[in-house]
Amino acid sequence: MSIQIPYYHAVGKEKEVFEHAYKNKIPFLLKGPTGTGKSRFIEHMAHALDRKIVTISCHEETSSTDLIGRFIIKGAETVWLDGPLTTAVKEGSIIYLDEVAEARPDVIVAIHSLTDHRRELFIDKLGETIKAHEDFMLVASFNPGYQRGFKELKPSTRQRFIAVSFEYPEAKVEIEILVNETQIDHDVAKKLVAIGNKIRNLTELGLTETVSTRLLVDAAKIINSGLPKRLSVHVAVVEPLTDDLQTLGALKDLCDLMI
């Protein structure tokens, strides 16, 4: 049975750039807001290159121990358990550190020697250094808009990667994504994308995050399964954006006029 490649609509030369980064063993950094297809792109490329992918969703508690491994007690003895990064380094998988700037600083320190000519991982608890498998690749993502002034990636870290910026796709492409992902009617997809673009341009609302392609896909899915259009937009697009009652009311009224 053939495995279907996850759908991804290229908006530029990002596929070619990724292939060349992989071929030349250069780490790859995806920059851009949430829900713009960064994770889907990596899944797509891992399938296209026939490589296993290990995804780590980084957060403020993610430490180098979580990635590298730890000693655990098994019965009467203490045994070492490889973490996902160590496993990927040994097996030659693609490791994807999603929102890497969110992780604790020791994670960045741990990956440094994997992101330069050495391509090796030092496991201090074992006193061992592991050379990365020929096919190993390190990929990370980062949301500069959200993390600006809060958790930045240092220039010394960023300069170890080939980087590509991801933005929300143009309307025509985004409509195509919704139709492909959810089999929604083209006209409904067009209205959802119009709503997304309208809210994205309302900068005066001061939303921390704006409407992602992911939110529009969710709305399309529940419309397609029979939930009324306006209610679908309220719960899938508007409610996740803010808790401010006045802003919620204004956005719901706006969306009701558009769908």
Side-chain angles (χ1 to χ4, degrees):
M1 193 176 82
S2 63
I3 297 170
Q4 189 154 359
I5 292 183
Y7 175 78
Y8 176 77
H9 190 299
V11 292
K13 298 284 185 188
E14 64 270 33
K15 288 187 186 184
E16 290 91 326
V17 174
F18 188 92
E19 283 168 3
H20 281 272
Y22 179 75
K23 201 183 294 181
N24 289 285
K25 300 178 172 45
I26 304 171
F28 194 89
L29 180 67
L30 302 95
K31 304 189 296 178
T34 183
T36 46
K38 300 190 295 293
S39 297
R40 175 59 65 89
F41 170 69
I42 294 303
E43 286 172 21
H44 176 89
M45 293 310 299
H47 272 77
L49 295 166
D50 195 24
R51 295 258 55 86
K52 185 182 169 192
I53 181 168
V54 178
T55 300
I56 308 292
S57 297
C58 299
H59 51 80
E60 60 275 8
E61 295 300 319
T62 305
S63 69
S64 59
T65 299
D66 296 325
L67 296 187
I68 293 171
R70 49 169 52 89
F71 284 107
I72 60 164
I73 294 166
K74 204 172 183 182
E77 54 179 356
T78 306
V79 295
W80 173 260
L81 189 67
D82 280 344
L85 176 61
T86 306
T87 304
V89 166
K90 287 178 177 176
E91 291 179 353
S93 305
I94 294 172
I95 187 134
Y96 175 41
L97 303 177
D98 191 15
E99 300 296 359
V100 68
E102 290 284 323
R104 283 166 38 175
D106 61 332
V107 167
I108 303 296
V109 174
I111 64 172
H112 262 195
S113 56
L114 282 168
T115 56
D116 59 25
H117 65 282
R118 291 171 288 178
R119 277 175 58 85
E120 57 189 34
L121 177 66
F122 177 62
I123 305 178
D124 59 342
K125 286 176 181 161
L126 296 177
E128 279 179 24
T129 299
I130 304 169
K131 273 280 183 201
H133 187 287
E134 192 70 10
D135 298 327
F136 170 76
M137 184 179 191
L138 178 70
V139 179
S141 74
F142 167 56
N143 182 347
Y146 172 62
Q147 280 141 344
R148 188 169 290 125
F150 172 56
K151 284 187 172 180
E152 281 282 11
L153 275 183
K154 289 180 184 168
S156 59
T157 301
R158 292 159 80 115
Q159 288 175 22
R160 293 166 176 266
F161 293 82
I162 278 179
V164 170
S165 290
F166 279 65
E167 292 298 334
Y168 300 114
E170 60 179 61
K172 189 176 72 174
V173 172
E174 199 161 32
I175 291 164
E176 198 178 315
I177 291 168
L178 295 197
V179 172
N180 264 285
E181 283 282 306
T182 69
Q183 284 71 58
I184 193 80
D185 178 77
H186 187 274
D187 286 344
V188 178
K190 196 173 175 181
K191 286 176 181 173
L192 287 171
V193 169
I195 286 170
N197 281 321
K198 184 76 174 171
I199 297 174
R200 286 167 192 160
N201 290 322
L202 293 174
T203 48
E204 65 274 15
L205 290 178
L207 297 169
T208 313
E209 293 281 359
T210 190
V211 179
S212 66
T213 304
R214 184 188 297 137
L215 291 186
L216 297 179
V217 167
D218 289 345
K221 282 178 180 172
I222 58 178
I223 289 170
N224 216 22
S225 65
L227 201 68
K229 295 188 192 77
R230 287 178 177 175
L231 177 58
S232 297
V233 171
H234 290 180
V235 298
V237 178
V238 179
E239 289 282 358
L241 292 178
T242 180
D243 297 321
D244 182 81
L245 294 178
Q246 214 172 346
T247 308
L248 280 174
L251 287 175
K252 285 176 181 177
D253 289 345
L254 171 72
C255 293
D256 288 353
L257 291 171
M258 296 180 71
I259 197 162

